[in-house]
Amino acid sequence: EAALPPAGADEGTRALLGQIAAARATLALTRYDVAAMLAQSRRALEYLRPGQLFLRANAHWTLGYAHLLLGDRAAARQALTEAITLSQAGRAVFTTILATIGLGNVQEVDNQLYEAAETYRRVVQLAGDHPQQIIGEAHLGLARALYEWNELEAAERHGRQGLRLAQQYEQIIDRYIVGEVFLARLKLAQGDVAGAAALLAQTSQSAHRHNFVHRLPEVAAAQVLVCLRQGQLAAAAELAQAYPLPLSQARVHLARGDPAAALALLEPWRRQVEARGWADERLKGMVLQAVALQAHGEKELAARLLVEALTLAEPGGFIRLFVDEGAPLAELLLKIRDEGGRKKEYAQKLLAAFGEHRAAPPSSVMLQPLVEPLSQRELEVLQLMAEGLSNNEISQRLFLALSTVKGHNQRIFEKLQVQRRTEAVARARELGLLA
């Protein structure tokens, strides 16, 4: 570049400068250097000839990802759509795949889960005999959609496939971090809290070691969920404060029994994401705000807000977004179902999903009068124990290994300071932990 004459010298020089700028934009993407991505992408599009379809497609792809990282999803969608059009015209399959994955990412954060899943499936078909690492992102996208639809086995298959492909980059690119965080969240949903904690500890160490700072907040957000399930409130609070994680910080306030503090965080956050058009964050915030309102004693307002959230969520088929909130959310859904109304059927569908995974009775972890609260899974085991189910029956009902059920029993006994099942059930009823 330094050896070239000034940019205006001739068309060939301008085209070569455009090619260099497109390469610089791609390198900037690997570092999440958004300013350089924007500047170099625009420079490439200024200098490249109209007929340089492959390079122009590549520049639109990096421009789209820059907009996505900045949170301008409409601009991202426009740039990525243009990248797909140009790459298809230029028969640049590799760039078509990259841009199509980007479009799937935009559809996903816009809560268009069915469209995103179809886009990711199209990527897998497009890849064909091309290097397989690039479709790892599509498998992870499919895994996230399947998880949200509560198809956990299929989600795990795609998640593991995505992680295997991401690991082929030999840890020079951060995509394996995304895969590990997803699988940790899946373990948490399956009740394997210890497994999730171990995986996230490994992931956090790796992210720090390779200086993948862009991924540290999502690792921390997942670790907050694990810490709260383990009753480690101090650790959860420290992680939530280490990064700008308002939803995680609100969860910590709820776990401490301070819904007013949680609401003070959630209301301005919701206004902010609504103004920016962030559909995914808006929906997450509304669901958590409904839980906080209920904990604050504002049950009617909580129910109205949840109905609004259900209206936004139903077109995408969201299930785990609600189920993962546990018993307090189930209690609100029962209220909506029993009162009838426009979201009665959807509420019933979600309650059926709670039944599949045996949500705990309507007593929140955050309100437990214990030094070390029972986790959501431990509450589920305790409820089944109270219903007289044997360890084998609990194992079958919750799809857990028998040894895992026995481990949950032991931790329940320790936390309740009892020696046997009958004492655990009696003690739990005294503390209001059982319906």
Side-chain angles (χ1 to χ4, degrees), residues 40-69:
Q40 296 297 337
S41 297
R42 289 167 175 162
R43 187 168 182 247
L45 292 170
E46 178 186 352
Y47 288 157
L48 289 169
R49 299 187 187 101
Q52 291 179 285
L53 298 179
F54 164 71
L55 291 169
R56 295 188 72 83
N58 198 76
H60 277 289
W61 166 62
T62 51
L63 181 63
Y65 262 107
H67 286 306
L68 188 57
L69 290 169

Side-chain angles (χ1 to χ4, degrees), residues 34 48 109 159 170 195 221 228-229 245-246 253 259 272 281 315 327 333 341 344 353 368 377 382 403 427 433:
V34 178
L48 289 169
V109 296
E170 298 179 355
L228 292 178
R229 289 281 289 271
L245 298 171
H253 287 308
Q272 181 181 340
E281 295 297 331
L333 288 170
K344 176 182 177 180
Q368 294 176 35
R377 180 62 86 184
L382 180 61
S403 59
R427 177 64 175 151
L433 299 179

Side-chain angles (χ1 to χ4, degrees), residues 232-427:
Q232 298 175 0
L233 300 190
E238 184 177 350
L239 284 163
Q241 291 297 330
Y243 303 96
L245 298 171
L247 297 184
S248 296
Q249 293 164 14
R251 290 186 186 282
V252 172
H253 287 308
L254 285 172
R256 286 174 165 168
D258 190 355
L263 289 168
L265 279 171
L266 291 169
E267 182 58 35
W269 172 248
R270 182 182 162 198
R271 289 197 300 269
Q272 181 181 340
V273 297
E274 284 179 352
R276 300 196 69 176
W278 290 0
D280 58 337
E281 295 297 331
R282 178 191 181 194
L283 185 54
K284 292 173 190 173
M286 289 171 70
V287 173
L288 190 56
Q289 194 175 8
V291 172
L293 285 167
Q294 173 167 266
H296 199 244
E298 301 177 67
K299 295 190 176 183
E300 292 301 324
L301 184 57
R304 286 199 299 272
L305 182 59
L306 186 57
V307 167
E308 187 180 345
L310 292 172
T311 302
L312 295 174
E314 190 169 18
F318 285 84
I319 295 177
R320 292 303 313 188
L321 176 68
F322 301 95
V323 173
D324 288 346
E325 293 299 333
L329 205 284
E331 189 174 358
L332 271 176
L333 288 170
L334 281 169
K335 177 180 176 62
I336 292 169
R337 184 200 65 183
D338 293 345
E339 289 180 354
R342 57 194 178 98
K343 289 301 161 190
K344 176 182 177 180
E345 290 78 11
Y346 191 26
Q348 178 56 43
K349 177 182 178 181
L350 295 174
L351 285 166
F354 272 92
E356 291 171 15
H357 297 278
R358 293 300 302 182
S363 56
S364 174
V365 173
M366 63 189 175
L367 298 178
Q368 294 176 35
L370 294 172
V371 174
E372 185 179 1
L374 298 178
S375 71
Q376 195 69 43
R377 180 62 86 184
E378 287 163 0
L379 284 169
E380 293 169 11
V381 171
L382 180 61
Q383 178 66 30
L384 295 177
M385 190 187 297
E387 293 174 15
L389 273 68
S390 67
N391 286 340
N392 279 325
E393 290 169 331
I394 294 174
S395 171
Q396 294 170 9
R397 183 76 66 87
L398 297 179
F399 306 101
L400 297 174
L402 182 59
S403 59
T404 301
V405 173
K406 291 179 178 178
H408 284 312
N409 287 349
Q410 186 58 41
R411 286 188 291 276
I412 290 168
F413 294 169
E414 290 171 357
K415 291 179 180 182
L416 294 177
Q417 298 182 336
V418 297
Q419 300 295 323
R420 54 184 62 87
R421 276 171 158 249
T422 53
E423 294 174 353
V425 172
R427 177 64 175 151

